[in-house]
Amino acid sequence: MNSVQITRKGEARLESGHPWIFASDISNRGSAQPGEAVRVTNQKGRCLGVAHYSSTSQITLRLLSHTDEPLTRGFFFARLKAALEHRLRVAPAATSYRLVHAEGDLLPGLIIDRYGDYLVLQLLDQGMDAVRHTLTDCLTELLAPKGIIARNDVPVRRLESLSQAPEILSGEIPERVPVTLNHLALHADLRRGQKTGVYLDQRENYLAAARFARGRALDCFTSTGGFALHLAAACDSVEAVDSSPDALTTAQANAQANSIANITFREANAFDYLSGLATARRQFDTIVLDPPAFAKSRTTLDSALRGYKEINFKALKLLPPGGTLVTCSCSHHVSESSLFDVVAQAALDARRTLRVLDRRTQAQDHPILLTVPETLYLKCLILEVL
Ligand code: SAH
């Protein structure tokens, strides 16, 4: 194994429990090759563990082991098996779930979503891309899936100089894959759908939102209909809005497949749509806001917070006392307390008083590591208008 030497600052970062070493904290790259497993050494030459090396990303090293060991098939098999066992504990009834949540499963650079007999991988760095056939082999032994696809069309792979073309790693992936999510029978487009097909991270929040939902509901940023489909049984009617026609086609098919007839899907910009509803003096009893990550990086945080405030303000204007607001942020740069602040400001401006019914995060199959803040990214607040 080649060795890469890191600075004292880099070493302190590993000691703080975070597995990433940035390019600025590398003192000697030695002969490390793209995507290789390398020994990480400190200034005195002591080995601190083994990491995947990236030749192009600002995140140069992602630590996989604290011991000086080769990253063999057996190593990956054990990590994948542990990830599977964790899901059997936290989501025993689920057949579709996130099987591997990168750092949260001590496998930085790797996401695996399971949809029954099918697996979707996101190989986010050169190291995981290089071991994709080993991973495929281990997953085949563990789960005997009918098909495994690597969804390589993820922007971060560009930072790794990796291809954007999806790759079938084993078996076949049908155009539409049947997925059971909570009590619903859905169809997912694992080849082209947003993320890996379905927003699995909201699985538990769909049920929580449905507990408080009633009357006329509005689901903004519905994508393939996750919240709308879950709310439909508790509500008289649901309007569901998204700007993506492809996502809405899947959403419509999902409603039909579950014999749900009280959802109206609309293709629109949610900001404009909310303004139009205010002009038309429409009111709702329940509103869900699940926008895309407005803050993709720390530099866009201020404008992102303005976006969150605006959308929450517009929604609150449509919610009379007694109404329920379900408001989410999937940007890890926006902390729960920042989201609280922004929604509080929006409520003051809209002359509404809000009480917290529930504070939630991503479903438990997306585990959070206390020392790796990036693993906690989804916030979901359920609020009551007093
Ligand atoms: N609530 C969804 C996930 C939403 S992801 C679920 O649970 O499955 C964010 C969605 O916002 C995407 O579907 C994207 O197409 C949509 N989107 C992005 N910008 C938008 C805009 N300005 N107006 C409406 N939809 C938008």
Side-chain angles (χ1 to χ4, degrees), residues 194 198-199 201-202 206 219-227 241-244 247 268-271 288 290-294 330:
Q194 294 175 2
V198 173
Y199 287 85
D201 50 6
Q202 293 282 24
Y206 294 146
D219 177 14
C220 292
F221 310 96
T222 192
S223 185
T224 54
F227 278 101
V241 184
D242 201 281
S243 58
S244 158
N269 177 320
F271 287 84
V288 178
D290 183 19
F294 290 153
C330 59

Side-chain angles (χ1 to χ4, degrees), residues 228 231-239 259-264:
L231 262 45
C235 296
D236 301 329
S237 62
V238 186
E239 256 173 75
S259 308
I260 297 172
N262 60 343
I263 308 179
T264 318

Side-chain angles (χ1 to χ4, degrees), residues 177-382:
V177 170
V179 171
T180 308
L181 198 72
N182 298 321
H183 53 281
L184 295 170
L186 308 180
H187 282 88
D189 180 351
L190 307 188
R191 291 158 166 266
R192 281 171 291 271
Q194 294 175 2
K195 278 217 179 173
T196 62
V198 173
Y199 287 85
L200 296 170
D201 50 6
Q202 293 282 24
R203 181 171 45 83
E204 295 165 359
N205 298 334
Y206 294 146
L207 298 176
R211 272 204 296 281
F212 295 107
R214 59 179 184 83
R216 287 152 303 166
L218 174 66
D219 177 14
C220 292
F221 310 96
T222 192
S223 185
T224 54
F227 278 101
L229 294 162
H230 283 81
L231 262 45
C235 296
D236 301 329
S237 62
V238 186
E239 256 173 75
V241 184
D242 201 281
S243 58
S244 158
D246 290 346
L248 289 173
T249 303
T250 305
Q252 294 264 19
N254 283 335
Q256 270 163 18
N258 290 278
S259 308
I260 297 172
N262 60 343
I263 308 179
T264 318
F265 291 100
R266 305 218 188 271
E267 183 187 331
N269 177 320
F271 287 84
D272 299 341
Y273 197 75
L274 285 166
S275 301
L277 291 170
T279 308
R281 300 193 171 280
R282 297 274 310 278
Q283 299 264 280
F284 291 86
D285 303 292
T286 309
I287 299 184
V288 178
L289 300 175
D290 183 19
F294 290 153
K296 298 252 193 276
S297 70
R298 218 166 297 163
T299 50
T300 55
L301 188 56
D302 282 348
S303 70
L305 291 176
R306 281 195 296 279
Y308 285 114
K309 182 173 173 195
E310 183 181 345
I311 199 109
N312 280 279
F313 171 78
K314 285 173 184 273
L316 284 163
K317 281 292 206 187
L318 308 176
L319 279 171
T324 304
L325 176 67
V326 180
T327 187
C328 309
S329 165
C330 59
S331 171
H332 91 85
H333 299 287
V334 176
S335 64
E336 190 195 46
S337 68
S338 306
L339 187 65
F340 265 147
D341 282 350
V342 155
V343 179
Q345 285 303 322
L348 288 169
D349 289 359
R351 298 181 190 283
R352 297 288 190 275
T353 300
L354 293 179
R355 181 159 66 189
V356 177
L357 292 170
D358 204 353
R359 304 157 58 170
R360 312 182 54 84
T361 180
Q362 64 231 29
Q364 284 191 62
D365 46 319
H366 298 57
I368 296 164
L369 282 196
L370 281 185
T371 53
V372 187
E374 294 82 358
T375 54
L376 193 176
Y377 66 100
L378 183 62
K379 280 76 54 187
C380 172
L381 307 177
I382 306 185

